Structure formats: C-alpha cells, structure tokens
C-alpha cells in the first residue's frame, strides 16, 4: 500500500550519525548494511560520560578522562549540562543548589551559564564538546575523515521545550555539525524496536536513567509517532538507588567508627562509586559486598547486601515511577491493557525489581530485548538511516489503500477520493436534495471499491441540517473530503445558497489490517461486472423517478394544454415507466426512460414558454416600477 519516494540515491559520504545526548551518558550510532550499530570507544565501552572538564591550562577533557577529574577539579568539571541547557537560572534554582560547579545568570543571554572562575562557558559549549567527541569516535571507528561527518540526528527528552531544542541545535552548530532532525527519546526507542511498522500501535516508553525518569505514551498513526502524554521526574533515577545504599552504609560506618564519612566530599564521592557498583552487581547477583577502607580515619567496613534488602531500600523510588505511569496513562486516556507495547529504556531498568514492578502494573513483562542504554541511540541511527536513504521502504509516501466516497440516497456510492491517491489529498463533489422542501441531508461516508453502499465499509454518518426549504434539486451541496498526512479524513458539507454547513472527522484506517484491505480489493474485482450492472439499474431507476416526478407535477397543465395525441403518448409512457418500477433489466428500463423523455418534450416546451411568459410579465412590471 506504499510507494517509495523517488529521489536521488544519497552519496556514501552523506552518512548521518545518530546521537543520544544523555544527561549522564551519550552514545553515537550509525545505520549501515541494514542495521543500527552503536560505536564503541577504544576501551570497548559504548557509553561516553557526558562530562567535560576545563583544566586551567590546556585543552578540555571529555568523557571518562573528565570523570576522573571530577574529584580533583569539581569546580571546573561539568556534568549534567543537559539539565541547564536552554534554561534560565530561575527555571533551575533547585538544580543549581545540588551542583558542585558554579551556575550564574547571564545578562547577555538571559540564561544559565557556568562560571569557571577565569571565564564563563555556556551549557551549549559543554554539549558541543560531547557532540564533537561522538563525531570523533565515529570517525575513528568508521575510519573516515572527521570533517566528512557533519550531519547528525540528535535525541532530546519528549518534554524539551522549544528553547531547550534550539539550544541543543546551537550546541551542534558550535561543534560544526548540521542537525538533520531532533527526535524525541521515546520515539527513537520505539523506532529501534521497529514499532513504526505496526499499525495503530500504542506504546509506553519507560525510561529510568541516572538522574531522570520519563514515561511517555506514544501512538503510531501511519508511520508517524505522536507523543500523547508524558510524565516523569527530573530528579528520580539510578542516583537515588546509589544514594539509598550509600546512606545506609554511611550510617553503619558512623555507628561502628563514629566517623561521619559523608562530610568529606572526596569520601562521599568514593562511597557513591562503591554504591553504584554494588547496585549494578545486584542486577545480576543475589548479593554483593560493600567494602570501604580508610586507614587514616580508622575505618574498615564491609557488609554483604542481598537483593531483598536493596529492594526494600528502593521501594519508595520505584513506587514513584509507577505513580507517574498511572498519571501518563490517565492523561493519554489509556489503561494498562490498552497499551500494545511497553519498552524499557535507561540503565536503571536493569534493576530486576524495576522490571518486576513495571510488569505488574501492565500485567505482562515489558520489552527489554534491546540494550536499554543503547536503544535510544540506535533509534536515532535508524532515523538517520531513513533520512539518508539507507533504510529502504521506511520513509514512504502514504497512499490511501481504498477509495473514499459518499453513499447516495439510492444506495450507490459516489467516489470522492480514489484509491491509491497520495495523501494528503483533497477533493470535492456536488450534491443536491431528493425531495421538495427537504431541510436535512444525511451523508454516509464509505470506504471501498464496490458500487453499492451495502458492499462497502461504512466509516461514519453525519447530517447537514437547516437547509432552507427549496424544490428538490435546487440546493447546491458541496461535499469536500480532506485526507490529511496523518490519515485523518475530514469531511465538510455546505449548502452553498444558505451557507449552512456540517462536518465530521474520521480515521479511515482505524481497525483495518493490510489483509482486510487486500480482501476488500479482491472482492471488488470479483464483483466488478455484477456491481456495475446493479449500479446501472439503480442509476436508471433514479433517472426514471426524476422524469416521472416532473411529469406528475405538471400533469394537470399537460392535460389541459397539450394536443390529444401528445397527451396520450405522454400518458402511455408514464404508465409504462411506472409499471417497470421493480425491473432489474437495465435495457428495458432504459427504453422506458427514453420513451418517457421523448414523450415529455412537448410538455417541456410548454413549461419553457410559461417561464418565458412569466419573465416577460416580470419585465413589464419592473418597467412600470422604474
Ligand atoms: P541517562 O539517560 O540519564 O544518561 P542511562 O540510561 O545511561 O542514563 O542510565 C544510567 C543509570 O543506569 C545509572 O544510574 C547507572 O548506575 C544505571 N545502571 C547501569 N547499568 C546498570 C545495571 N546493570 N544495574 C543497575 N543500574 C545500572
Ligand atoms: Mg537516557
């Protein structure tokens, strides 16, 4: 049902990178040879810590090397820049209080910037360094010149506003990169899972990262994902799990040794690292050991932590993620059961208790087949592949698989948009009334190739009311069909003389699978001949009734004014046309209608004279008036 876009094959040098610019980690991926692939560093690690350190003398240090400088140079080692980007100091006061480096207001830009002491840098500059590191990694892995890699797709959280997206674009520009598209993280995750191929799919993306939690409800309509609800907490994530372990162990250390280990920043940083390690081990082991030694302070602490204990410590945090899920479902007007796919994203979804909690909420396990830390980057690469033409048959021009039309009063279909029209498409058709003084018209919108309403799929009905009473055939009702890029059909009907209108919006593809479309088409082919014949009979009867109605209306006049022979001929043809009402013999009906039309020519002439006489009379009246 799809047509590929015709266009130039993109050049190999047009390779577009997919970048997940994360709060704690960033990744770069490409789409090549039919699949997405995350590019690893020399150390084999796919994650680039989103950390940049600016030594007083010397070039900025990025990634793992910058992480090592965190304790050494906390005022000049910037992490979580994503929390600052595109925001003003007012927006993020709470944020700033927790950061070891100095965030100040920039008069010039009206936004938060970082004061290194000897100079001020923007969050965009920090992100630019990370983006450049991604580009350099790709160049190295792919053995390409870094300058040849200029185009990128970057993911951002679904809730990012325009300022935050613009600032992200600005970061790329600073890095000398051209942003081909900004994609929301949940959309990228859904793309990575290939959910863009499922019709009318509803997806929940549960993304629990290091310091942020986002849950999004997406709806897929004709290859386009729409985020219909988001919820979350920008201060909820794996860091909370680390902190839970750290706080319990620090309390025990204080009990045992009387030392408040959390007071010293370096000890605190060390404890946090040990805690994170223990947490990660507990994702695959039943228990893990927490070991902390500090000979100078007289501390020798070790403790086994089993998964059950850890689980109890993190219950409140996990409960909060579920509360957000419930809110997002509510906003999206969905229930756990109405969701087709649940996807796990973010390193913290590796915690078995988190998985179990999500599974319990949705009554089934969530999908975690793709590495939850890589899934967003891989989706970005797929989007890059689509834009670069690498992903075949994915970015497609949609066409409407079946014709759309209006059912007439006689039960036949008047097609308005033909099947295989590329969407968006618009078309218009004129209709009129059937009965004198008719003030309302009912429209049945049908889909399919068959000639009769009853053999097609009825999509909806609506009524145009308030038409001023007029003789049958006089109202001019324009019906416009507009099928938009999202596959929504909007139908507008308007009576042109009075201006009264009505409209309806429906989703023609709703609940229709490709197989059903195919069987509807096959049906139409098979019945085409018979359908046409039936339709012809109906159309002829309709014509017959119209002529008969006109003749009856002027019967008295005909009887009084026509010559005897003319009148008898008309009378005979009228009776014949009435007698054939039940016939399905198109030829016979056609003969009757032709005879009646011929016999009524004299009457028509009479009527025309009458109209002309009236016009002359009116003329005279108006002459008198002037
Ligand atoms: P972000 O999108 O915020 O940059 P990530 O998706 O990279 O975050 O997730 C980082 C978080 O995942 C960290 O808190 C990290 O400790 C946690 N994490 C990574 N691996 C595991 C694991 N095996 N078990 C539990 N948590 C993990
Ligand atoms: Mg993330």
């Amino acid at each position: 049902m799809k047509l590929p876009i015709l266009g130039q094959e993109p050049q190999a040098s047009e390779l577009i990178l997919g970048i997940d610019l994360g709060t704690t980690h960033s990744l770069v991926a490409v789409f090549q040879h039919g699949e997405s692939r995350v590019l690893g560093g020399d150390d084999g690690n796919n994650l680039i810590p989103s950390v940049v350190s600016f030594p007083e003398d010397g070039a900025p240090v990025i990634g793992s090397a910058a992480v090592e400088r965190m304790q050494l140079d906390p005022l000049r080692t910037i992490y979580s820049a994503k929390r600052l980007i595109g925001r003003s100091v007012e927006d993020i006061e709470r944020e700033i209080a927790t950061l070891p480096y100095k965030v100040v207001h920039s008069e010039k830009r009206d936004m938060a910037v970082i004061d290194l002491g000897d100079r001020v840098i923007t969050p965009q500059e920090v992100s630019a360094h990370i983006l450049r590191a991604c580009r350099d990694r790709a160049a190295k892995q792919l053995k390409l010149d870094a300058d040849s890699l200029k185009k990128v797709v970057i993911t951002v959280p679904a809730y990012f506003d325009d300022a935050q997206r613009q600032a992200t674009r600005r970061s790329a520009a600073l890095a000398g990169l051209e942003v081909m598209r900004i994609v929301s993280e949940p959309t990228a995750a859904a793309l990575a899972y290939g959910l863009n191929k499922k019709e009318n799919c509803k997806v929940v993306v549960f993304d629990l990262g290091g310091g942020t939690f986002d849950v999004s409800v997406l709806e897929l309509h004709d290859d386009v994902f729409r985020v219909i609800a988001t919820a979350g907490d920008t201060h909820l994530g794996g860091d909370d799990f680390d902190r839970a372990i750290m706080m319990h162990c620090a309390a025990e250390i204080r009990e045992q040794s009387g030392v408040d280990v959390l007071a010293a920043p370096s000890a605190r940083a060390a404890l946090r690292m040990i805690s994170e390690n223990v947490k990660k081990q507990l994702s695959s082991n039943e228990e893990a050991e927490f070991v902390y030694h500090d000979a100078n302070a007289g501390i020798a602490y070790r403790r086994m932590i089993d998964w059950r204990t850890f689980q109890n410590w993190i219950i409140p945090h996990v409960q909060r993620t579920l509360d957000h899920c419930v809110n997002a479902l509510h906003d999206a007007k969905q229930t756990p059961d109405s969701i087709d796919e649940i996807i796990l994203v973010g390193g913290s979804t590796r915690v078995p208790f988190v998985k179990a909690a999500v599974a319990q909420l949705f009554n089934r396990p969530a999908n975690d087949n793709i590495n939850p830390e890589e899934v967003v980057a891989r989706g970005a690469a797929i989007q890059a592949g689509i834009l670069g033409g690498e992903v075949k048959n994915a970015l497609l021009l949609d066409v409407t698989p079946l014709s759309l039309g209006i059912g007439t009063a006689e039960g036949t279909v008047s097609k308005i948009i033909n099947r295989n029209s590329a969407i968006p498409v618009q078309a218009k058709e004129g209709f009129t009334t059937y009965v004198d003084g008719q003030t309302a018209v009912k429209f049945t919108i049908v889909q399919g190739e068959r000639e009769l309403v009853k053999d097609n799929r009825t999509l909806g009905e609506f009524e145009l009311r308030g038409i001023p009473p007029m003789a049958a055939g006089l109202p001019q009702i324009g019906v416009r069909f507009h099928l938009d890029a999202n596959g929504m059909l909007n139908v507008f009907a308007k009576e042109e003389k009075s201006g009264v209108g009505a409209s309806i919006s429906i989703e023609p593809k709703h609940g229709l699978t490709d197989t059903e479309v195919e069987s509807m088409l096959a049906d139409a082919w098979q019945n085409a001949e018979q359908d046409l014949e039936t339709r012809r009979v109906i159309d002829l009867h309709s014509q017959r009734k119209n002529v008969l109605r006109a003749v009856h209306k002027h019967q008295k006049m005909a009887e009084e004014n026509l010559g005897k022979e003319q009148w008898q001929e008309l009378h005979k043809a009228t009776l014949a046309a009435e007698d054939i009402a039940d016939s399905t013999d198109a030829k016979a009906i056609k003969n009757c209608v032709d005879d009646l039309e011929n016999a009524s020519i004299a009457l028509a002439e009479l009527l025309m004279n009458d109209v002309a006489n009236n016009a002359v009379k009116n003329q005279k009246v108006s002459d008198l008036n002037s």
Side-chain angles (χ1 to χ4, degrees), residues 92-113:
I92 45 170
E93 254 159 343
R94 199 183 137 200
E95 211 81 70
I96 294 169
T98 66
L99 297 171
Y101 53 86
K102 205 165 155 196
V103 179
V104 294
H105 173 71
S106 156
E107 291 290 346
K108 209 166 73 195
R109 297 170 226 253
D110 190 29
M111 63 171 204
V113 294

PDB file of all heavy atoms in Angstrom, residues 92-113:
ATOM      1  N   ILE A  92      15.829  26.700  37.155  1.00  0.00           N
ATOM      2  CA  ILE A  92      16.548  25.540  37.690  1.00  0.00           C
ATOM      3  C   ILE A  92      17.242  25.824  39.015  1.00  0.00           C
ATOM      4  O   ILE A  92      18.274  25.235  39.323  1.00  0.00           O
ATOM      5  CB  ILE A  92      17.590  25.040  36.653  1.00  0.00           C
ATOM      6  CG1 ILE A  92      18.361  26.222  36.059  1.00  0.00           C
ATOM      7  CG2 ILE A  92      16.942  24.203  35.581  1.00  0.00           C
ATOM      8  CD1 ILE A  92      19.542  25.805  35.221  1.00  0.00           C
ATOM      9  N   GLU A  93      16.657  26.670  39.816  1.00  0.00           N
ATOM     10  CA  GLU A  93      17.274  27.010  41.099  1.00  0.00           C
ATOM     11  C   GLU A  93      17.574  25.772  41.947  1.00  0.00           C
ATOM     12  O   GLU A  93      18.651  25.635  42.514  1.00  0.00           O
ATOM     13  CB  GLU A  93      16.363  27.967  41.876  1.00  0.00           C
ATOM     14  CG  GLU A  93      16.925  29.367  41.871  1.00  0.00           C
ATOM     15  CD  GLU A  93      15.867  30.427  42.152  1.00  0.00           C
ATOM     16  OE1 GLU A  93      14.661  30.138  42.048  1.00  0.00           O
ATOM     17  OE2 GLU A  93      16.286  31.539  42.483  1.00  0.00           O
ATOM     18  N   ARG A  94      16.617  24.855  41.963  1.00  0.00           N
ATOM     19  CA  ARG A  94      16.762  23.645  42.770  1.00  0.00           C
ATOM     20  C   ARG A  94      17.953  22.812  42.277  1.00  0.00           C
ATOM     21  O   ARG A  94      18.722  22.254  43.055  1.00  0.00           O
ATOM     22  CB  ARG A  94      15.471  22.840  42.640  1.00  0.00           C
ATOM     23  CG  ARG A  94      15.289  21.823  43.726  1.00  0.00           C
ATOM     24  CD  ARG A  94      14.032  20.999  43.502  1.00  0.00           C
ATOM     25  NE  ARG A  94      14.304  19.602  43.767  1.00  0.00           N
ATOM     26  CZ  ARG A  94      13.572  18.611  43.311  1.00  0.00           C
ATOM     27  NH1 ARG A  94      12.530  18.846  42.534  1.00  0.00           N
ATOM     28  NH2 ARG A  94      13.875  17.366  43.608  1.00  0.00           N
ATOM     29  N   GLU A  95      18.067  22.772  40.958  1.00  0.00           N
ATOM     30  CA  GLU A  95      19.139  22.051  40.281  1.00  0.00           C
ATOM     31  C   GLU A  95      20.503  22.577  40.702  1.00  0.00           C
ATOM     32  O   GLU A  95      21.416  21.832  41.064  1.00  0.00           O
ATOM     33  CB  GLU A  95      18.974  22.395  38.791  1.00  0.00           C
ATOM     34  CG  GLU A  95      19.399  21.358  37.840  1.00  0.00           C
ATOM     35  CD  GLU A  95      18.320  20.340  37.719  1.00  0.00           C
ATOM     36  OE1 GLU A  95      17.275  20.659  37.155  1.00  0.00           O
ATOM     37  OE2 GLU A  95      18.559  19.240  38.207  1.00  0.00           O
ATOM     38  N   ILE A  96      20.603  23.896  40.615  1.00  0.00           N
ATOM     39  CA  ILE A  96      21.884  24.573  40.817  1.00  0.00           C
ATOM     40  C   ILE A  96      22.433  24.300  42.218  1.00  0.00           C
ATOM     41  O   ILE A  96      23.629  24.090  42.409  1.00  0.00           O
ATOM     42  CB  ILE A  96      21.721  26.095  40.561  1.00  0.00           C
ATOM     43  CG1 ILE A  96      21.390  26.325  39.075  1.00  0.00           C
ATOM     44  CG2 ILE A  96      22.984  26.859  40.942  1.00  0.00           C
ATOM     45  CD1 ILE A  96      20.947  27.735  38.752  1.00  0.00           C
ATOM     46  N   ALA A  97      21.523  24.232  43.188  1.00  0.00           N
ATOM     47  CA  ALA A  97      21.940  24.008  44.572  1.00  0.00           C
ATOM     48  C   ALA A  97      22.680  22.685  44.749  1.00  0.00           C
ATOM     49  O   ALA A  97      23.529  22.551  45.627  1.00  0.00           O
ATOM     50  CB  ALA A  97      20.711  24.048  45.470  1.00  0.00           C
ATOM     51  N   THR A  98      22.384  21.693  43.894  1.00  0.00           N
ATOM     52  CA  THR A  98      22.989  20.373  44.060  1.00  0.00           C
ATOM     53  C   THR A  98      24.291  20.215  43.270  1.00  0.00           C
ATOM     54  O   THR A  98      24.970  19.203  43.396  1.00  0.00           O
ATOM     55  CB  THR A  98      22.023  19.272  43.588  1.00  0.00           C
ATOM     56  OG1 THR A  98      21.854  19.428  42.164  1.00  0.00           O
ATOM     57  CG2 THR A  98      20.673  19.375  44.260  1.00  0.00           C
ATOM     58  N   LEU A  99      24.613  21.202  42.416  1.00  0.00           N
ATOM     59  CA  LEU A  99      25.797  21.055  41.553  1.00  0.00           C
ATOM     60  C   LEU A  99      27.040  21.651  42.212  1.00  0.00           C
ATOM     61  O   LEU A  99      26.973  22.737  42.787  1.00  0.00           O
ATOM     62  CB  LEU A  99      25.539  21.741  40.201  1.00  0.00           C
ATOM     63  CG  LEU A  99      24.394  21.144  39.371  1.00  0.00           C
ATOM     64  CD1 LEU A  99      24.071  22.025  38.173  1.00  0.00           C
ATOM     65  CD2 LEU A  99      24.731  19.727  38.923  1.00  0.00           C
ATOM     66  N   PRO A 100      28.164  20.954  42.109  1.00  0.00           N
ATOM     67  CA  PRO A 100      29.380  21.467  42.753  1.00  0.00           C
ATOM     68  C   PRO A 100      29.974  22.668  42.012  1.00  0.00           C
ATOM     69  O   PRO A 100      30.685  23.463  42.605  1.00  0.00           O
ATOM     70  CB  PRO A 100      30.337  20.278  42.706  1.00  0.00           C
ATOM     71  CG  PRO A 100      29.848  19.426  41.597  1.00  0.00           C
ATOM     72  CD  PRO A 100      28.370  19.640  41.503  1.00  0.00           C
ATOM     73  N   TYR A 101      29.709  22.790  40.755  1.00  0.00           N
ATOM     74  CA  TYR A 101      30.244  23.929  39.994  1.00  0.00           C
ATOM     75  C   TYR A 101      29.268  25.098  40.062  1.00  0.00           C
ATOM     76  O   TYR A 101      28.121  24.965  40.512  1.00  0.00           O
ATOM     77  CB  TYR A 101      30.578  23.530  38.554  1.00  0.00           C
ATOM     78  CG  TYR A 101      29.458  22.848  37.786  1.00  0.00           C
ATOM     79  CD1 TYR A 101      28.496  23.593  37.112  1.00  0.00           C
ATOM     80  CD2 TYR A 101      29.375  21.447  37.737  1.00  0.00           C
ATOM     81  CE1 TYR A 101      27.487  22.974  36.404  1.00  0.00           C
ATOM     82  CE2 TYR A 101      28.356  20.821  37.027  1.00  0.00           C
ATOM     83  CZ  TYR A 101      27.419  21.587  36.369  1.00  0.00           C
ATOM     84  OH  TYR A 101      26.416  20.971  35.672  1.00  0.00           O
ATOM     85  N   LYS A 102      29.745  26.262  39.597  1.00  0.00           N
ATOM     86  CA  LYS A 102      29.000  27.494  39.816  1.00  0.00           C
ATOM     87  C   LYS A 102      28.158  27.873  38.590  1.00  0.00           C
ATOM     88  O   LYS A 102      28.685  28.056  37.490  1.00  0.00           O
ATOM     89  CB  LYS A 102      30.005  28.625  40.103  1.00  0.00           C
ATOM     90  CG  LYS A 102      29.421  29.755  40.909  1.00  0.00           C
ATOM     91  CD  LYS A 102      30.546  30.621  41.440  1.00  0.00           C
ATOM     92  CE  LYS A 102      30.069  32.037  41.721  1.00  0.00           C
ATOM     93  NZ  LYS A 102      31.194  32.972  41.870  1.00  0.00           N
ATOM     94  N   VAL A 103      26.866  27.962  38.802  1.00  0.00           N
ATOM     95  CA  VAL A 103      25.965  28.338  37.711  1.00  0.00           C
ATOM     96  C   VAL A 103      25.456  29.747  38.002  1.00  0.00           C
ATOM     97  O   VAL A 103      24.996  30.039  39.103  1.00  0.00           O
ATOM     98  CB  VAL A 103      24.784  27.358  37.599  1.00  0.00           C
ATOM     99  CG1 VAL A 103      23.841  27.763  36.481  1.00  0.00           C
ATOM    100  CG2 VAL A 103      25.296  25.941  37.371  1.00  0.00           C
ATOM    101  N   VAL A 104      25.599  30.633  37.013  1.00  0.00           N
ATOM    102  CA  VAL A 104      25.180  32.025  37.217  1.00  0.00           C
ATOM    103  C   VAL A 104      24.267  32.478  36.083  1.00  0.00           C
ATOM    104  O   VAL A 104      24.156  31.821  35.045  1.00  0.00           O
ATOM    105  CB  VAL A 104      26.408  32.977  37.303  1.00  0.00           C
ATOM    106  CG1 VAL A 104      27.233  32.667  38.548  1.00  0.00           C
ATOM    107  CG2 VAL A 104      27.256  32.894  36.047  1.00  0.00           C
ATOM    108  N   HIS A 105      23.666  33.612  36.315  1.00  0.00           N
ATOM    109  CA  HIS A 105      22.769  34.173  35.306  1.00  0.00           C
ATOM    110  C   HIS A 105      23.577  35.000  34.303  1.00  0.00           C
ATOM    111  O   HIS A 105      24.448  35.761  34.688  1.00  0.00           O
ATOM    112  CB  HIS A 105      21.736  35.058  36.007  1.00  0.00           C
ATOM    113  CG  HIS A 105      20.862  35.817  35.072  1.00  0.00           C
ATOM    114  ND1 HIS A 105      19.900  35.196  34.313  1.00  0.00           N
ATOM    115  CD2 HIS A 105      20.817  37.130  34.765  1.00  0.00           C
ATOM    116  CE1 HIS A 105      19.281  36.111  33.576  1.00  0.00           C
ATOM    117  NE2 HIS A 105      19.819  37.293  33.833  1.00  0.00           N
ATOM    118  N   SER A 106      23.298  34.837  33.028  1.00  0.00           N
ATOM    119  CA  SER A 106      23.975  35.646  32.025  1.00  0.00           C
ATOM    120  C   SER A 106      23.028  36.758  31.574  1.00  0.00           C
ATOM    121  O   SER A 106      21.962  36.486  31.013  1.00  0.00           O
ATOM    122  CB  SER A 106      24.366  34.777  30.826  1.00  0.00           C
ATOM    123  OG  SER A 106      24.509  35.584  29.683  1.00  0.00           O
ATOM    124  N   GLU A 107      23.422  37.991  31.863  1.00  0.00           N
ATOM    125  CA  GLU A 107      22.601  39.145  31.473  1.00  0.00           C
ATOM    126  C   GLU A 107      22.397  39.129  29.959  1.00  0.00           C
ATOM    127  O   GLU A 107      21.305  39.342  29.449  1.00  0.00           O
ATOM    128  CB  GLU A 107      23.318  40.461  31.854  1.00  0.00           C
ATOM    129  CG  GLU A 107      23.408  40.706  33.347  1.00  0.00           C
ATOM    130  CD  GLU A 107      22.064  41.022  33.980  1.00  0.00           C
ATOM    131  OE1 GLU A 107      21.112  41.304  33.235  1.00  0.00           O
ATOM    132  OE2 GLU A 107      21.973  40.937  35.219  1.00  0.00           O
ATOM    133  N   LYS A 108      23.526  38.879  29.291  1.00  0.00           N
ATOM    134  CA  LYS A 108      23.539  38.980  27.838  1.00  0.00           C
ATOM    135  C   LYS A 108      22.544  38.026  27.180  1.00  0.00           C
ATOM    136  O   LYS A 108      21.838  38.371  26.254  1.00  0.00           O
ATOM    137  CB  LYS A 108      24.958  38.692  27.342  1.00  0.00           C
ATOM    138  CG  LYS A 108      25.301  39.403  26.048  1.00  0.00           C
ATOM    139  CD  LYS A 108      26.800  39.375  25.763  1.00  0.00           C
ATOM    140  CE  LYS A 108      27.275  38.006  25.327  1.00  0.00           C
ATOM    141  NZ  LYS A 108      28.717  37.844  25.368  1.00  0.00           N
ATOM    142  N   ARG A 109      22.513  36.804  27.693  1.00  0.00           N
ATOM    143  CA  ARG A 109      21.700  35.788  27.028  1.00  0.00           C
ATOM    144  C   ARG A 109      20.417  35.457  27.763  1.00  0.00           C
ATOM    145  O   ARG A 109      19.622  34.669  27.265  1.00  0.00           O
ATOM    146  CB  ARG A 109      22.505  34.498  26.894  1.00  0.00           C
ATOM    147  CG  ARG A 109      23.727  34.654  26.018  1.00  0.00           C
ATOM    148  CD  ARG A 109      24.564  33.395  26.175  1.00  0.00           C
ATOM    149  NE  ARG A 109      25.955  33.766  26.373  1.00  0.00           N
ATOM    150  CZ  ARG A 109      26.873  33.606  25.447  1.00  0.00           C
ATOM    151  NH1 ARG A 109      26.569  33.089  24.293  1.00  0.00           N
ATOM    152  NH2 ARG A 109      28.107  33.968  25.675  1.00  0.00           N
ATOM    153  N   ASP A 110      20.260  35.994  28.969  1.00  0.00           N
ATOM    154  CA  ASP A 110      19.116  35.662  29.804  1.00  0.00           C
ATOM    155  C   ASP A 110      18.994  34.155  29.993  1.00  0.00           C
ATOM    156  O   ASP A 110      17.931  33.566  29.778  1.00  0.00           O
ATOM    157  CB  ASP A 110      17.819  36.235  29.193  1.00  0.00           C
ATOM    158  CG  ASP A 110      16.673  36.104  30.185  1.00  0.00           C
ATOM    159  OD1 ASP A 110      16.955  36.129  31.407  1.00  0.00           O
ATOM    160  OD2 ASP A 110      15.517  35.965  29.744  1.00  0.00           O
ATOM    161  N   MET A 111      20.131  33.553  30.342  1.00  0.00           N
ATOM    162  CA  MET A 111      20.076  32.116  30.625  1.00  0.00           C
ATOM    163  C   MET A 111      21.207  31.711  31.552  1.00  0.00           C
ATOM    164  O   MET A 111      22.116  32.494  31.833  1.00  0.00           O
ATOM    165  CB  MET A 111      20.137  31.329  29.333  1.00  0.00           C
ATOM    166  CG  MET A 111      21.421  31.541  28.588  1.00  0.00           C
ATOM    167  SD  MET A 111      21.480  30.386  27.233  1.00  0.00           S
ATOM    168  CE  MET A 111      23.228  30.287  26.996  1.00  0.00           C
ATOM    169  N   ALA A 112      21.097  30.478  32.025  1.00  0.00           N
ATOM    170  CA  ALA A 112      22.092  29.972  32.979  1.00  0.00           C
ATOM    171  C   ALA A 112      23.399  29.661  32.252  1.00  0.00           C
ATOM    172  O   ALA A 112      23.392  29.032  31.193  1.00  0.00           O
ATOM    173  CB  ALA A 112      21.545  28.722  33.654  1.00  0.00           C
ATOM    174  N   VAL A 113      24.497  30.124  32.828  1.00  0.00           N
ATOM    175  CA  VAL A 113      25.820  29.810  32.287  1.00  0.00           C
ATOM    176  C   VAL A 113      26.700  29.321  33.447  1.00  0.00           C
ATOM    177  O   VAL A 113      26.320  29.429  34.610  1.00  0.00           O
ATOM    178  CB  VAL A 113      26.471  31.034  31.585  1.00  0.00           C
ATOM    179  CG1 VAL A 113      25.689  31.428  30.344  1.00  0.00           C
ATOM    180  CG2 VAL A 113      26.585  32.207  32.552  1.00  0.00           C
TER     181      VAL A 113
END
